[in-house]
Amino acid sequence: MIDSYIALDLETTGLNPAYDRIIEIGMAKVEQGNVAATYSTLINPGITVGERVVELTGIHNNELTDKPRIEDEIRNILDFIGDYPILGHNIIFDYSFLKQGAIDLKLDFDKKGMDTLKIARKVLPDLESRALDYLCTYYGIKDENHHRAFNDAEVTAKLFEILMEQYGGKYPEMFEPFDFK
């Protein structure tokens, strides 16, 4: 089973990578189950962040005006990820935004991924929810700053390690990186 990966999470202006934008990225490079390096930054989306997103994330428009644009930061993001597979809770969402950012600059971004939401749906079918905050409460993972990118990346890595310990023997295929389709 995998023991090194990049746990990542994005906060965005909305749900569609074709016209919504990244406002925050948080990543934790996990090697042999331990956080070896971290990366976290706010991103100037170049558009106004709506009130719903401000309420959800606590990130205000005035906090983003002097931050780098994604086109100025995407190479640093891709360098940090390197050859590692990426892990997230509903990772296809985060992957699609990073993929769009790379495509916009004519950069390659083809990664393998692992998804704690997909794993939780398989191994915990009877829980009333598989939302990240619910799973953190269920497993006693301290989730102090929900809907902030680095916090969510960090707790996703902790959740993955717990799920792998409990279910990796029974469902090893769930803990192997997959290709995005």
Side-chain angles (χ1 to χ4, degrees), residues 10-23 45 47 53 90 92-101 104:
L10 305 176
E11 301 305 330
T12 64
T13 60
L15 303 176
N16 189 329
Y19 54 83
D20 288 308
R21 300 288 176 256
I22 298 169
I23 59 172
I47 60 175
V53 173
N90 193 21
I92 191 67
F93 175 83
D94 306 277
Y95 177 79
S96 65
F97 273 86
L98 291 176
K99 179 79 171 176
Q100 187 65 54
D104 289 348

Side-chain angles (χ1 to χ4, degrees), residues 5-9 25-31 35-40 73-86 98 109 111 150 153:
Y5 53 87
I6 302 293
L8 71 85
D9 187 72
I25 182 164
M27 298 185 284
K29 183 178 290 182
V30 177
E31 296 176 341
V35 175
T38 62
Y39 178 103
S40 181
E73 200 61 29
I74 193 76
R75 284 178 179 81
N76 293 334
I77 293 165
L78 299 182
D79 286 347
F80 186 88
I81 294 170
D83 293 330
Y84 287 80
I86 56 175
L98 291 176
F109 186 69
K111 292 285 157 203
F150 182 74

